[in-house]
Amino acid sequence: MALLFLHGAGGYAEDRVLADAIAAELGQALTYPRFPEDDMSFDHQASLVRTALDAVSADDVVAAHSFGASILLRVLAERERETPRRVVLLAMPDWSPQGWDVADYAFTGPVPRQDVSLHHCRDDEVVEFAHLALHAARLPRAAVHAYDSGGHQFDGLAHAIARDLSRTS
C-alpha cells in the first residue's frame, strides 16, 4: 500500500507536512505530485489528477486536501474504475451556490464508487466548517469526521486520518 496525497491550491509546501505525517503513520511510501498554479481551470487540474490516479494500484489509498479534494471528487465521479478503493477528502470546499459558488469546480455527481471519508476541523479559518455538512448531504455514503481543532492543516491529526485511510471497509 502507498499513499497518493493531492495538495490544495498553492499548498504544495504547506500540505507536505501533513502528507509526510500521514505517510509516516501509515508506514507507507508517499507519492506527492506538484500541481502548478499557472492554470487553475478544472480541465487542466483534472487532467493532472487523472494522470496521478492512473498510477494508483488497488491496494493504494488516496488523500486530498482542500482544492485538491474538490478536483479529486469530480474526477472520481467521472471514472468507471473503482481504483482507488479508499479516498479521504480533507477540508474540501463546497463550490455550489450554497458554498463558494464557482461553477467550474462544483460537484454535481454522480456519487463516486469509492469508499469516501470527509474530514474537517471546526476551527478551519480557510474553508468554513459548514462546507462539511453540504458535502455530507451530497455524499450520503461518506463517513464524516469532524474535529474541534486542527485548523485547515489538521495540526496533530495525522494519526486519525491515517487510521481512517487504513480501514478495510
Side-chain angles (χ1 to χ4, degrees):
M1 179 173 75
L3 169 65
L4 169 63
F5 192 101
L6 307 174
H7 66 81
Y12 180 78
E14 225 175 13
D15 290 358
R16 183 66 191 243
V17 174
L18 178 60
D20 284 338
I22 294 169
E25 288 284 338
L26 290 170
Q28 300 300 326
L30 172 65
T31 302
Y32 191 73
R34 182 179 203 132
F35 297 114
E37 299 173 53
D38 58 334
D39 182 349
M40 295 301 291
S41 69
F42 171 78
D43 289 335
H44 179 70
Q45 295 294 315
S47 70
L48 301 171
V49 169
R50 287 182 198 106
T51 298
L53 285 177
D54 287 343
V56 170
S57 75
D59 294 331
D60 295 338
V61 291
V62 177
H65 184 244
S66 197
F67 179 77
S70 298
I71 302 301
L72 175 62
L73 178 61
R74 286 198 46 202
V75 168
L76 290 174
E78 72 186 22
R79 290 171 69 94
E80 292 184 19
R81 294 177 55 197
E82 292 186 25
T83 302
R85 289 192 289 247
R86 293 207 34 67
V87 296
V88 167
L89 306 173
L90 305 165
M92 183 170 57
D94 179 85
W95 301 96
S96 74
Q98 295 78 34
W100 287 351
D101 199 14
V102 180
D104 194 35
Y105 304 135
F107 173 73
T108 58
V111 174
R113 300 167 190 248
Q114 288 76 13
D115 183 11
V116 175
S117 292
L118 304 168
H119 292 249
H120 214 114
C121 297
R122 286 181 173 83
D123 65 345
D124 188 330
E125 293 181 0
V126 177
V127 178
E128 297 88 358
F129 182 71
H131 288 221
L132 177 63
L134 296 170
H135 286 301
R138 286 185 192 92
L139 302 167
R141 294 188 335 246
V144 177
H145 303 268
Y147 307 95
D148 289 332
S149 62
H152 190 61
Q153 294 303 133
F154 292 83
D155 296 330
L157 294 170
H159 64 283
I161 297 164
R163 185 173 47 246
D164 185 33
L165 279 165
S166 63
R167 274 189 319 118
T168 56
S169 63

